[in-house]
Amino acid sequence: MFDWFFDAAAGFSDAVYVSVIKEDRYTYLLDGLWVSLQLTFFAALIGVAIGLLVAVAKLQNLDSPSKNRVTGVIRKWLVGLANGYVSIIRGTPAVVQLLVIYFIIFGRLLQPVFPNVPDLAIAAIAFGINSGAYVAEIIRAGIMAVDKGQTEAGRSLGLSGAKTMIFIIIPQAIKNVLPALVNELIVLFKETSVAGYIGMMDLTKGATTIGSVAYDYMIPLLCAAYIYFLVTTVMTAGMNKLERRMRRGD
Amino acid sequence: MIDVQNLHKYFGELEVLKGVDVHINRGDCVCVVGPSGGGKSTFLRCINLLEVPTKGDVIIEGVSAMQNMRYIDKLREKVGMVFQQFNLFPHMTVLKNVTFAPVKLKKMTKEQAEQRGMELLARVGLAEKANEYPNRLSGGQKQRVAIARALAMEPDVLLFDEPTSALDPEMVGEVLEVMKQLAESKTTMIVVTHEMGFAREVGNRVLFMDGGIVAEEGTPQEVFGNPKSERLKQFLSKVL
């Protein structure tokens, strides 16, 4: 009467055995996760660094007087560069950006100068450049939300514009947008699943590799999905905890 | 020590200041009164170049501000400012608010600044709040910390931009008391205020600004006791 159930269960356990346990195939998933996490970590560092710089560049007020003509021209160029960068990154898919940076920038243009850059570094740079545009917009919104009086208070004490920005405005801006930044981190982590396009053995690529040797994609892909879900859930929980703690500090 | 010369300020088409000439001596407590929109705050903000004048100049200790815009940060160290909205740094403790600028600008070591900061906080009656964050303070306490913060840079002159306008009525007194003590110790101050009692009692000069010019000026006795212009009489009849 329950034969179908035992058949299904036996079939399932066979599938799990073939996909995960046989020949230690689970290591594809664990190693892949490790690659994805490293990639996310380094890309996030690069993204935040770029994001901060671009946010500040985009907020340059070109109406306010420059110290001299040269700095005026430099500022104008910086604003143009920052605007162009954000538009291009937001207007093109991450996979295409990754492929362009891997095959054209590092594969051709920079090949003579940097012939042996590891794939992990190239991918981290590519994802970092991608993430930087979104981080820049988040931080820009955060900076604009800080009361103008804070800038005036800093400047009236004799602090330079840069010191006021770094020590007074940005700490408050980051605090305001921390939830949005964690959200971007989650997006970035999931985005790294396309790293297989340039031959990286990330979590997704690990799952499809198992699928191709075990002739069964279902179990490895479900495992990969579950691992992604687990990691993003941990990130979300961390964000909620952080948010609660910060609300207490306000 | 501060010479404001023929100050004009436009915001777009709108002319807010139409030629202001004021001379401020060391130890003066100058109170600026007048109706809203008369240019009081803009005048004050031009003195430390938070607003850049369209025309005219501000001479601070013999140095022209307009010709030294490159060194504006150095000039601002000499001109402290207290804001209507306090503008304390919310991510720093009270003591850090006071010591941050002097330490960062290498005016003092951290130890010196902290010692000096505690003295200043004691002076405004808030020594026991040194390690609190600003959001734990009342409005009056915040404003007193803001005064201590401005004093920590040892400025030559302190600008007050309606320092009590954002306060609950019962907290106005504590801030005015601190300002009065400063005036009595001959700190040079320029105070934009709606507190006529303060202007009359503490100020040694009163400027009445209206329509972008200094319409009348004199000692408190002259301005409040014997107003000459019709406009000032009208203003006083409304606020007194």
Side-chain angles (χ1 to χ4, degrees), chain B residues 4 25 52 94 111 133 141 159 169 187 202:
Chain B
V4 179
N25 301 306
V52 181
V94 164
E111 290 70 31
Y133 280 86
Q141 292 171 332
L159 311 177
T187 310
V202 181

Side-chain angles (χ1 to χ4, degrees), chain B residues 89-226:
Chain B
F89 306 134
H91 58 303
M92 299 178 185
T93 63
V94 164
L95 184 60
K96 187 87 189 288
N97 261 279
V98 176
T99 58
F100 181 76
V103 172
K104 197 48 80 182
L105 296 169
K106 306 218 161 47
K107 225 175 138 62
M108 302 176 195
T109 66
K110 191 159 177 280
E111 290 70 31
Q112 283 173 326
E114 272 171 8
Q115 197 190 344
R116 177 87 182 117
M118 287 308 294
E119 282 167 24
L120 288 168
L121 286 175
R123 194 162 155 195
V124 300
L126 289 171
E128 78 279 10
K129 300 281 185 190
N131 294 316
E132 297 274 11
Y133 280 86
N135 60 10
R136 308 269 296 165
L137 305 182
S138 72
Q141 292 171 332
K142 282 182 194 167
Q143 195 59 298
R144 287 187 278 153
V145 172
I147 293 172
R149 176 176 71 177
L151 286 171
M153 285 302 292
E154 301 181 329
D156 296 336
V157 55
L158 264 184
L159 311 177
F160 291 83
D161 191 2
E162 303 197 19
T164 57
S165 296
L167 296 176
D168 290 341
E170 74 263 31
M171 293 169 184
V172 170
E174 61 192 64
V175 173
L176 291 182
E177 190 52 43
V178 168
M179 291 168 63
K180 191 175 162 190
Q181 284 170 19
L182 286 174
E184 279 163 1
S185 62
K186 289 293 168 202
T187 310
T188 312
M189 303 158 64
I190 306 174
V191 185
V192 169
T193 185
H194 292 298
E195 296 288 333
M196 295 303 149
F198 178 85
R200 190 190 293 217
E201 192 191 339
V202 181
N204 70 331
R205 283 165 65 197
V206 177
L207 307 182
F208 172 64
M209 284 192 76
D210 184 31
I213 55 165
V214 177
E216 204 165 329
E217 76 164 293
T219 63
Q221 290 79 3
E222 286 165 357
V223 171
F224 292 108
N226 186 22

Side-chain angles (χ1 to χ4, degrees), chain A residues 65 67-68 147 149-150 152-161 163 167-168 171-172 249-250, chain B residues 45 48 50 70 73 76-77 79 81 83 87-92 100-101 104-105 135 149 153:
Chain A
K67 280 187 177 168
N68 56 53
D147 184 38
Q150 292 290 315
E152 292 183 349
R155 298 306 303 271
S156 79
L157 288 166
L159 298 168
S160 66
K163 284 200 176 88
F167 298 109
I168 309 290
Q172 296 181 54
D250 273 339
Chain B
R45 291 160 59 83
N48 69 354
L50 280 182
R70 311 178 62 157
D73 297 332
R76 282 194 182 123
E77 289 182 20
V79 185
M81 184 147 183
F83 299 86
N87 296 342
L88 292 182
F89 306 134
H91 58 303
M92 299 178 185
F100 181 76
K104 197 48 80 182
L105 296 169
N135 60 10
R149 176 176 71 177
M153 285 302 292

Side-chain angles (χ1 to χ4, degrees), chain A residues 46-59:
Chain A
I46 296 170
V48 168
I50 294 178
L52 273 172
L53 292 174
V54 171
V56 172
K58 282 193 81 164
L59 283 168

